[in-house]
Amino acid sequence: CIQGPSIKGWLSASDLHLWLQSQPHPVAGYVLEDVLTIVKLRTGTLEIFPEDFVRMTTPTFRSSVWLKELALARGARPGHPPPEVSYR
């Protein structure tokens, strides 16, 4: 659900929840209500555009700016993470 062209151009919080459930990480246990709350808090809506996903999943500390820039520089499109970063 994260990888590939999205017809609508964005992900819903439900799409993100489905993707998280398939990940080998503790976030796989998050319930939909938790994901809805986090997405609403971070984006102001229940829609996640590519730039929102990048902002939510990359470091925000000034000392880690280089890491965010490195991840974005590897993307096929400027400002978007490459498929291997955005999809597992």
Side-chain angles (χ1 to χ4, degrees):
C1 93
I2 302 291
Q3 183 181 23
S6 174
I7 294 171
K8 56 190 175 189
W10 50 272
L11 297 172
S12 69
S14 297
D15 295 334
L16 179 61
H17 180 252
L18 284 173
W19 179 75
L20 288 172
Q21 286 181 320
S22 69
Q23 302 305 301
H25 191 276
V27 297
Y30 283 13
V31 294
L32 179 59
E33 291 75 22
D34 292 340
V35 175
L36 292 170
T37 300
I38 292 166
V39 170
K40 178 82 170 170
L41 177 68
R42 300 290 291 190
T43 68
T45 69
L46 295 178
E47 299 168 346
I48 307 164
F49 291 90
E51 57 274 9
D52 296 325
F53 187 79
V54 170
R55 190 172 52 253
M56 290 170 60
T57 58
T58 55
T60 56
F61 300 114
R62 286 185 186 202
S63 61
S64 300
V65 168
W66 66 271
L67 185 57
K68 183 174 186 173
E69 290 173 357
L70 177 64
L72 294 176
R74 292 177 51 205
R77 298 182 311 182
H80 293 79
E84 70 271 14
V85 172
S86 62
Y87 181 77
R88 186 176 256 238

